[in-house]
Amino acid sequence: GKWQRNKYVGVSLVGKTLAVLGFGKVGSEVARRAKGLGMHVIAHDPYAPAERARAIGVELVSFDEAIGAADFISMHMPLTPATSNMLNNETFAKMKKGVRIVNVARGGVVDEEALVRALDAGIVAQAALDVFSEEPPKQDNKLVQHEMVTVTPHLGASTMEAQEGVAIEIAEAVVGALKGELAATAVNAPMVPAEVLLELKPYVILAEKLGRLAVQLVAGGSGVKTVKVSYASSRPDLDTRLLRAMITKGIIEPISDVYVNLVNADYTAKQRGLRITEEHIHLDGSHEIPLEFIKVQIADVKSKFASATSKSGEIKVEGRVKDGIPHLTKVGSFGVDVSLEGSIILCRQVDQPGMIGKVGSILGEENVNVSFMSVGRVAPRKHAVMAIGVDDQPRKESLKRIGEVPAIEESVFLKL
């Protein structure tokens, strides 16, 4: 019942720097509006095309640059293993004192206990949230009770117009599906004959995992646009629709919260500006084996692991099925042989004795179990790529120690 005007003193947005984390459909619209309010806008999204950001007048930067320069941070990314708790004690320590944070993405992208500590320490001046790790949040939730936090339920579609829009969208989707058009929102794929599915099952798993590997090798800011898939087979009539859908699934799902299946794969790829071309390499031989190998190449991107880049500049991974189990058999121009179970660490190193032992010792100290290890090299005592299959994800400190081994020139962890 009080009229406490002096209690509610804010800050001007004009001239302030906004960091948009997640530059998809929503993030880019927030950027447009913030520009109209006189803000300087930067963005971080490992998979957003730089030209789309430039068209709005937004600069794409690294994650550390974004959070270090920001007066305001607005979050718009899906919850994936890569984004889980991406704002934590370590990242809050890198921010300007007095930063203001808006999380309208997913609750799990912010470590809530770390945010409370950052608010109490004055690192974060204010926060606004409409998503939580547990929804609805408990009444005694420290963020809900915090004086410097504004909270609401997730109200993005809670307008009369939005509810009507959703109803129209559903009706149009049903009509389109009945007409045989590509369906974006179907949750059940059409039936595949059981005998075909049984035969292709290990190749379906291989296709998805090669897609996941390839997209994780893309360096931030590149934006995946063109993917070429090659199938080597002695069968001229091999139906690759299911395999193409699974490669699309592998590429899109790690960087999105969209569920991809056989029905919506082509539509989802088109919606994201992703062009997938296919090449069939005909081999002479028995028709008993459906496929000899699958090769996935991503063009016009930078790689976070330079050795995965072919001579022509594409990120290239290749795999085959051995005894019913998918294997990674080539990274860039290096031949390897590692089972695609668990996750993989790739290291490029000077080919010399003791390297397997050094890396194995670091993982052993971490209690990380090694399932497979393979070394591919161009020539003895030259450069080699070591592929290590691991059952668990090592801590960042352990991965850093591996990268600091003197003979290792680059390394990357890939989660499957």
Side-chain angles (χ1 to χ4, degrees), residues 156-307:
S158 297
T159 64
M160 297 297 292
E161 293 84 355
Q163 291 295 306
E164 183 177 327
V166 169
I168 292 170
E169 188 176 326
I170 291 169
E172 289 175 343
V174 171
V175 171
L178 291 172
K179 287 181 178 179
E181 297 171 1
L182 290 173
T185 52
V187 295
N188 56 328
M191 290 295 293
V192 177
E195 61 275 12
V196 174
L197 197 56
L198 184 65
E199 184 182 44
L200 286 182
K201 184 178 179 181
Y203 300 94
V204 165
I205 297 170
L206 173 65
E208 180 180 354
K209 293 198 172 185
L210 287 176
R212 284 183 179 271
L213 282 177
V215 78
Q216 289 181 73
L217 288 166
V218 176
S222 297
V224 179
K225 301 169 202 160
T226 306
V227 178
K228 180 180 178 182
V229 185
S230 302
Y231 310 99
S233 172
S234 58
R235 294 188 186 178
D237 59 343
L238 181 70
D239 186 347
T240 59
R241 287 179 303 161
L242 184 55
L243 299 173
R244 184 178 71 242
M246 296 309 288
I247 288 168
T248 305
K249 180 184 180 76
I251 290 171
I252 290 176
E253 284 192 357
I255 59 175
S256 168
D257 53 3
V258 172
Y259 176 76
V260 179
N261 60 33
L262 181 56
V263 173
N264 68 7
D266 289 343
Y267 183 94
T268 305
K270 182 179 178 182
Q271 199 176 40
R272 280 164 169 70
L274 179 63
R275 181 170 174 262
I276 298 181
T277 61
E278 294 179 291
E279 173 190 40
H280 293 258
I281 303 170
H282 181 69
L283 303 175
D284 293 325
S286 170
H287 287 193
E288 290 183 10
I289 300 175
L291 275 162
E292 280 296 323
F293 66 81
I294 300 174
K295 179 166 60 179
V296 177
Q297 299 174 88
I298 303 181
D300 303 320
V301 293
K302 294 178 182 178
S303 175
K304 63 174 70 170
F305 187 71
S307 302

Side-chain angles (χ1 to χ4, degrees), residues 369-386:
N369 194 45
V370 174
S371 56
F372 282 87
M373 188 174 284
S374 172
V375 177
R377 59 188 185 179
V378 291
R381 304 282 179 164
K382 298 293 184 183
H383 286 96
V385 164
M386 180 162 54

